[in-house]
Amino acid sequence: MARILSLAEAVAENVKDGDTVAMEGFTHLIPYAAGHEVIRQGRKDLFLVRMTPDILYDQLIGVGAARGMKFSWGGNPGVGSLHRFRDAVENQWPRPLEIEEHSHAAMANAYEAGAANLPFATLRGYIGADLPKVNANIKQVTCPFTGEVLAAVPAIRPDVTIIHAQRADRKGNVLLEGIVGVQKEAVLAAKRSIVTVEEIVDELNPPSPNSVVLPTWAVTAVVHVPGGAFPSYAHGYYPRSNAFYIAWDEIARDRETFTAWIKENVLDAKPEDFARHAAKSAKAA
Amino acid sequence: MTDFTPTEMMTIAAARALSNDDVCFVGIGAPSAACNVARLTHAPDITLIYESGTVGTKPDVLPLSIGDGELCDTALFTVSVPEMFRYWLQGGRITTGFLGGAQIDRFANLNTTVVGPYDHPKVRLPGGGGAPEIASNCGRIFITMALSKRGFVEKLPFITSMGHGEGGNHRERLGMKTKGPTRVITDLCILEPDPETKELTVVSIHHGVTREQIVENCGWAIKFADTVIETPVPTETELAVLRDINARTKKAHQGTEKGKEAA
């Protein structure tokens, strides 16, 4: 059964130094507030996993919390580079970053394999591409029925997966809708999971039978953090702040402005600060 | 004739490559602009798919990311990312993939991974994302990129997604049944692979552009087809639609938010 905890408790209990951590969200519902708590608690040597590491992982890499990262596309969508990620790969600042790089198709399949308790995933992938030459975790298998040679990648099995969702009920059942990404698979693949939510309600009242529901017994901790996906968004609650994604380019370009931003907005801040983003957008809508 | 920029010509020429029956996997940036101009002009029923899982989407402004809320709000349906890549892309249900890249070679292989050696890159780019499998699993691929010596290179440092590999029947030899890149649309001209060698060849030159300009802006000794036509200039309607959507997009993505406000 999921326990309903504060963000500080949930992170302290479930994220350990050295863990393999997946914070998922395919553009939508990215768990920014939880990521900031991980930074505040000073976790180190994390191996980060995520299909589309964007600003949140740029922040974790920039503060030196990560020893490595498994990913398939590392940029600021529609804006350009992740400067902290680039600085780590190109100049080893603030520390070297081991990278394991895949394609989206392979990562999505690898999460599914993890959720299905399989050791590996197979796909018709990477044909003619160079990634298999630089990633020893991309191998080939031969179909025992047709003889076709397919790509194989190991299942993703995080120690902990962290996601953000629209709401949970008081028992800890969680509902997500809109662009649901790979979050369900990432939670089911992990040993432990933390879900931050916009609201905790008496009844989930799913407005659509296609909503994704993660039952309380498949989740470790649920935390109420309104606005916790900002500058990403929560469908039905507040929109994506494309202006912030654009602004991040300048903040992250320079080590000093980045460090000052982290101090003011992460180290000296608290989860409740995210609530103003939800409130502001609700008024504007 | 109305004035237009080379980028506008590129986007409109790319839009024209699409038809109403296409089911199109759309990349962010120039491909997204081209696909939506096609939808708002000659191909109103085109199916646009973004890798975030949105199928049949009809955005009013161009998304900044592949998962903007606008895409989901206007989609026919939205699926999980594993389903998108397994059932729809690998399942062979997408006719056309639309890609861009940092670098391309004469056989339309693309690099969006690194410049320099992989382990010690001079420039670390975002990486492949969906492109490796989009390139092999969509029925055909269109590519749109501005023509420049930095982008159109003799040899790629890294092949993120395969186009025609080493040319000829390389795709078939690897077991691929899809056509691969069939057209590359630039700001100066349109290229198509030679039917035999698969080397990219200029087939259409945009209005006011010279052969010399094309040669000077390409990093390899670029070839011209026996018959080269002039790309029809943008119509008033095409330009108006493109400028409208660009203006709406600019307004939508500008904000008063400063970084320090966000925590």
Side-chain angles (χ1 to χ4, degrees), chain A residues 26-27 72-74 78 86 90 101 103-104 109 112 124-126 128 130 181 230 233 235 242 244 261 265 274 276, chain B residues 51 64-69 73 81 86 90 118 123-124 126-127 129-130 133 159-160 162 253 259-263:
Chain A
F26 206 87
T27 309
S72 41
W73 193 88
R86 277 187 61 176
E90 295 168 14
E101 187 168 0
S103 67
H104 279 349
N109 278 276
E112 266 200 339
R124 191 175 286 113
Y126 295 117
D130 278 346
F230 182 90
Y233 68 107
H235 191 99
N242 282 334
F244 182 81
W261 189 93
N265 297 285
F274 278 84
R276 73 177 188 271
Chain B
E51 67 191 15
L64 185 68
S65 79
I66 38 81
D68 278 22
D73 286 338
V81 168
R86 287 166 67 83
Q90 188 175 268
Y118 185 81
V123 182
R124 175 64 230 199
E133 284 75 32
I159 296 178
T160 305
M162 177 168 160
H253 296 170
K260 65 185 177 61
E261 285 181 26

Side-chain angles (χ1 to χ4, degrees), chain B residues 197-249:
Chain B
T197 67
K198 305 294 184 195
E199 178 170 342
L200 291 174
T201 307
V202 177
V203 296
S204 181
I205 299 178
H206 301 339
H207 178 79
V209 175
T210 64
R211 287 192 178 215
E212 290 68 34
Q213 270 178 284
I214 293 169
V215 169
E216 281 166 18
N217 282 287
C218 186
W220 68 79
I222 195 166
K223 288 185 179 161
F224 291 81
D226 293 341
T227 310
V228 177
I229 61 163
E230 180 176 299
T231 315
V233 297
T235 65
E236 298 281 350
T237 306
E238 287 169 332
L239 270 179
V241 165
L242 174 61
R243 287 173 183 176
D244 262 9
I245 199 166
N246 279 339
R248 285 200 298 278
T249 299

Side-chain angles (χ1 to χ4, degrees), chain A residues 26-28 36 51-52 71-75 77-81 85-86 89-90 92 99-106 108-109 112 122-131 134 178-182 185 230 233 235 240-247 251 261 264-266 269 273-274 276-277 280, chain B residues 28 51-54 63-73 78-83 85-87 89-90 109 112-114 118-133 136-137 156-162 174-176 252-263:
Chain A
F26 206 87
T27 309
H28 179 217
H36 287 188
M51 291 184 68
T52 53
F71 73 108
S72 41
W73 193 88
V79 179
S81 288
F85 165 56
R86 277 187 61 176
V89 173
E90 295 168 14
Q92 293 76 53
I99 62 171
E100 181 184 334
E101 187 168 0
H102 289 273
S103 67
H104 279 349
N109 278 276
E112 266 200 339
T122 180
L123 69 153
R124 191 175 286 113
Y126 295 117
I127 302 170
D130 278 346
L131 267 181
V134 296
I179 291 174
V180 294
V182 75
E185 291 77 10
F230 182 90
Y233 68 107
H235 191 99
R240 189 177 195 264
S241 174
N242 282 334
F244 182 81
Y245 278 83
I246 293 166
I251 297 165
W261 189 93
E264 183 181 346
N265 297 285
V266 180
D273 295 338
F274 278 84
R276 73 177 188 271
H277 302 300
K280 182 167 57 189
Chain B
I28 280 297
E51 67 191 15
S52 55
T54 57
L64 185 68
S65 79
I66 38 81
D68 278 22
E70 175 91 4
L71 296 175
C72 184
D73 286 338
T78 298
V79 301
S80 73
V81 168
E83 178 177 328
F85 281 94
R86 287 166 67 83
Y87 303 175
L89 180 60
Q90 188 175 268
N109 303 298
T112 56
T113 305
V114 286
Y118 185 81
D119 289 336
H120 299 92
K122 197 169 130 219
V123 182
R124 175 64 230 199
L125 301 164
E133 284 75 32
S136 57
N137 286 318
L156 293 180
F158 193 91
I159 296 178
T160 305
S161 56
M162 177 168 160
L174 293 179
M176 281 192 259
H253 296 170
Q254 270 173 350
T256 52
E257 300 271 12
K258 289 291 172 225
K260 65 185 177 61
E261 285 181 26

Side-chain angles (χ1 to χ4, degrees), chain A residues 133-194:
Chain A
K133 296 178 187 167
V134 296
N135 180 348
N137 269 341
I138 300 170
K139 296 187 190 296
Q140 294 186 326
V141 287
T142 303
C143 170
F145 304 104
T146 64
E148 182 176 358
V149 176
L150 299 162
V153 293
I156 296 174
R157 305 303 299 263
D159 292 305
V160 57
T161 287
I162 304 176
I163 64 166
H164 188 79
Q166 275 96 349
R167 54 193 176 272
D169 65 20
R170 295 183 199 289
K171 293 176 189 156
N173 297 300
V174 168
L175 178 141
L176 298 78
E177 56 193 351
I179 291 174
V180 294
V182 75
Q183 287 98 306
K184 176 179 177 178
E185 291 77 10
V187 165
L188 297 181
K191 295 184 188 122
R192 303 182 295 279
S193 54
I194 300 172

Side-chain angles (χ1 to χ4, degrees), chain A residues 62 111 129 159 237:
Chain A
Y111 271 121
D159 292 305
Y237 287 78

Side-chain angles (χ1 to χ4, degrees), chain B residues 24-190:
Chain B
C24 187
F25 212 95
V26 186
I28 280 297
S32 184
C35 291
N36 282 290
V37 168
R39 179 176 62 80
L40 295 168
T41 54
H42 65 280
D45 298 321
I46 190 170
T47 302
L48 302 186
I49 298 181
Y50 288 73
E51 67 191 15
S52 55
T54 57
V55 180
T57 186
K58 298 175 163 60
D60 187 49
V61 299
L62 297 174
L64 185 68
S65 79
I66 38 81
D68 278 22
E70 175 91 4
L71 296 175
C72 184
D73 286 338
T74 60
L76 180 63
F77 62 100
T78 298
V79 301
S80 73
V81 168
E83 178 177 328
M84 174 53 65
F85 281 94
R86 287 166 67 83
Y87 303 175
W88 301 97
L89 180 60
Q90 188 175 268
R93 293 179 173 86
I94 300 178
T95 63
T96 306
F98 221 122
L99 296 173
Q103 292 182 320
I104 187 171
D105 70 12
R106 70 177 71 207
F107 295 112
N109 303 298
L110 290 171
N111 173 29
T112 56
T113 305
V114 286
V115 178
Y118 185 81
D119 289 336
H120 299 92
K122 197 169 130 219
V123 182
R124 175 64 230 199
L125 301 164
E133 284 75 32
I134 292 171
S136 57
N137 286 318
C138 291
R140 62 178 175 175
I141 299 295
F142 295 144
I143 296 166
T144 181
M145 277 174 70
L147 191 72
S148 78
K149 276 201 160 142
R150 273 181 76 189
F152 283 65
V153 299
E154 182 74 45
K155 184 162 172 50
L156 293 180
F158 193 91
I159 296 178
T160 305
S161 56
M162 177 168 160
H164 294 288
E166 293 161 7
N169 66 350
H170 197 179
R171 288 178 70 88
E172 287 165 47
R173 281 188 278 127
L174 293 179
M176 281 192 259
K177 294 179 172 65
T178 54
K179 288 191 185 125
T182 57
R183 194 174 294 184
V184 177
I185 302 111
T186 79
D187 53 343
L188 301 182
C189 60
I190 297 171

